[in-house]
Amino acid sequence: TPKDAAVKIIEKNLYGLDIDDRAYQLAYFAVMMKGRQYNRTIFSRRLRPNLFSIQESTFITEDLIEFISGKDKKLEKYILSLKSDFTDAKEYGSIINVNPVNFEALFARLDDIEKMKDPGAFELFYKAEAIDKFLPLLKQAAAMAQKYDVVVTNPPYMGSSGMNEKLSKFVKDNYPDSKSDLFAVFIEKCGEMAKRNGYQAMITQHAWMFLSSHEKLRKKI
């Protein structure tokens, strides 16, 4: 039924990413109100839409890594990988490439941490850090790493001359075929996020269709 479908779409089918916290809040509000249009009980279900305002990993300290990993070397390696990926995440946003990690193992470990009973003062502090900060970062990483049937966005437009030194280097290093404009970078990135034979819909400038600076991108498409 439409009533049940609204819940399932929010829980299972719809994902969103933005670099801006306010844009995330507005999208969250819009999605929940659209769900409420079809299901009047949706607010009482404590749903958490899979929408994310991309956050940085500056809060991940050595002590937090030790606590979350439980001194498991594999988990420690995964956490360090995510810490590296999301350094300066507010600078790069959705064009970050998340390196492969075992998301299932990390989610399972956080589930165990959440169920901890009678933690001491040390454990209580880092339990809060793990659940309130690391878990949302892990969810955003999983959303950025998976493939989608449909990828839709209105990307930012910014020529290479408008990029600061840090963003310019990141784009050149990671997107050499589309580095001349940020909207072209997003065309390439969203193509990577779409499944084979999936759909990609974007509102972009049309320069990529004929300028020589976008020739490699056209061939890739």
Side-chain angles (χ1 to χ4, degrees):
T1 66
K3 182 178 178 181
D4 294 330
V7 174
K8 293 298 182 185
I9 288 168
I10 291 174
E11 285 184 329
K12 307 288 186 182
N13 298 116
L14 187 63
Y15 290 77
L17 297 160
D18 206 284
I19 199 170
D20 184 76
D21 293 339
R22 182 57 58 88
Y24 152 76
Q25 292 169 350
L26 291 169
Y28 194 109
F29 175 76
V31 167
M32 291 303 291
M33 292 305 292
K34 178 59 71 172
R36 174 64 175 75
Q37 179 180 334
Y38 294 96
N39 188 327
R40 288 186 295 177
T41 67
I42 212 159
F43 293 149
S44 64
R45 293 172 176 264
R46 296 184 178 180
L47 291 180
R48 295 287 297 180
N50 296 301
L51 307 179
F52 305 97
S53 170
I54 298 169
Q55 301 300 314
E56 297 185 348
S57 55
T58 51
F59 67 90
I60 301 178
T61 61
E62 290 184 9
D63 287 340
L64 182 61
I65 292 170
E66 183 178 332
F67 173 76
I68 295 174
S69 67
K71 298 184 179 181
D72 182 310
K73 292 300 181 183
K74 288 185 177 179
L75 292 181
E76 187 177 305
K77 180 181 176 182
Y78 300 147
I79 297 167
L80 284 170
S81 178
L82 292 175
K83 178 178 173 63
S84 175
D85 288 342
F86 290 103
T87 299
D88 296 325
K90 284 294 187 187
E91 187 77 45
Y92 312 127
S94 305
I95 60 175
I96 290 171
N97 293 310
V98 178
N99 289 298
V101 299
N102 189 332
F103 286 107
E104 289 185 5
L106 286 169
F107 279 121
R109 172 58 181 158
L110 285 167
D111 189 51
D112 290 341
I113 290 172
E114 195 166 17
K115 293 175 181 176
M116 285 177 61
K117 293 183 178 179
D118 302 320
F122 174 84
E123 289 85 3
L124 189 63
F125 173 79
Y126 284 109
K127 177 182 178 181
E129 288 283 290
I131 301 305
D132 297 339
K133 292 184 178 180
F134 185 75
L135 180 57
L137 184 135
L138 182 61
K139 288 180 177 180
Q140 83 179 17
M144 294 172 74
Q146 66 188 11
K147 300 285 187 179
Y148 295 91
D149 297 293
V150 181
V151 182
V152 182
T153 190
N154 180 3
Y157 309 152
M158 181 187 289
S160 56
S161 61
M163 300 179 191
N164 62 34
E165 185 177 345
K166 188 179 290 186
L167 179 59
S168 178
K169 184 180 186 307
F170 182 88
V171 166
K172 288 175 181 176
D173 290 345
N174 293 277
Y175 300 95
D177 295 336
S178 53
K179 62 186 178 183
S180 59
D181 199 291
L182 206 52
F183 83 81
V185 171
F186 270 86
I187 290 176
E188 184 173 352
K189 177 60 178 177
C190 291
E192 293 171 356
M193 294 180 80
K195 293 179 181 178
R196 185 174 178 82
N197 297 321
Y199 291 89
Q200 179 178 353
M202 304 181 69
I203 301 170
T204 71
Q205 295 176 343
H206 59 288
W208 65 271
M209 290 190 275
F210 52 83
L211 289 184
S212 59
S213 57
H214 296 293
E215 184 177 357
K216 290 181 179 179
L217 176 62
R218 288 195 295 274
K219 288 180 177 179
K220 183 170 285 189
I221 291 173

